[in-house]
Amino acid sequence: MSAESASVLDRVVSAERRELWQRSWKRFTSRPMSVVGLGIIVAIVLLAVFAPVVAPYPEHAGKFTDFSNTLQPPSLDHPLGTDHVGRDVLSRILFGYRLSLMLVAVVLGFGVPVGVLLGLVAGYYGGWTETIIMRATDTALALPPLVMALAITSALEPTLTNAMIAIAALWWTWHARLVQSIVASERSEEYVQAAKLAGASTPHILFREILPNTLSPILVKVTLDAGFVILIGAGLSFIGVGVQPPQPGLGTMVSQGTSYLPDSWWVSVFSGLAIFVLVMGFNMLGDGLRDLFDVEVNR
């Protein structure tokens, strides 16, 4: 093939890809709830990243006390009120978003690659390899994530780091099961057999041929998983084995605020709403991506 022909082919492929992305974006934006979910996530991520700048009282995210200003209701100075030691609730929620998103990044950053790799190997090789990996996966799936995370964090020191370890220890299983089921059906396809006949190596077949066909359901699964990870992290913090004071964990803030209900309702209510909005954003985005890619993912 001449250089000119190759250049023409590259331009045609680029144009097709650009047209595909344009059609996909049009389909995505045609669903208002999906766009709202994306907007919520983008807004919260930006607020979390720039929390030291946008928070009205960034120093309230740490060991700050002002006992002359405790449990003040929402006002112009404190739009969401103050907590039991005088800290601004809005500022702590913005920094709490940081911790929640960090939890999601660490848990899924570990669980997804491990699960995808094991699923690829199990689905491609089959036989005893698949049996051993999937039986271990099924055993781990039989354990409720929150109960297992609670057991691990109770055995270790209750910190954000240990909460991340506890949740990540089980999260790979969902992705291993998802990818294995896809690869098991793809390994007999013609393009895989053609790659084998062409002398392609096993890593090439797994990561260059089969893996791209699993990316859509993985992306949908990751988006939906983010909401579950946030809820589990908030649950651990609520019962005292996750984020520890004075760190502004959203679950911790809900727990602390319950001691002052119903009079000082704003601490628990606004912290709980913050969790709700973040989880809702991920779920709406995940539902939109699922419809866009036309895939079914077990939630």
Side-chain angles (χ1 to χ4, degrees), residues 187-230:
R187 66 188 178 195
S188 59
E189 292 293 327
E190 292 183 357
Y191 73 92
V192 176
Q193 302 305 317
K196 290 181 179 179
L197 292 174
S201 64
T202 298
H204 175 90
I205 295 174
L206 287 176
F207 296 105
R208 298 294 298 274
E209 303 293 340
I210 298 179
L211 181 59
N213 292 311
T214 69
L215 292 181
S216 295
I218 290 174
L219 178 59
V220 175
K221 178 67 174 168
V222 166
T223 310
L224 295 173
D225 278 354
F228 285 98
V229 171
I230 292 167

Side-chain angles (χ1 to χ4, degrees), residues 92 238 272:
R92 290 181 62 78
F238 182 85

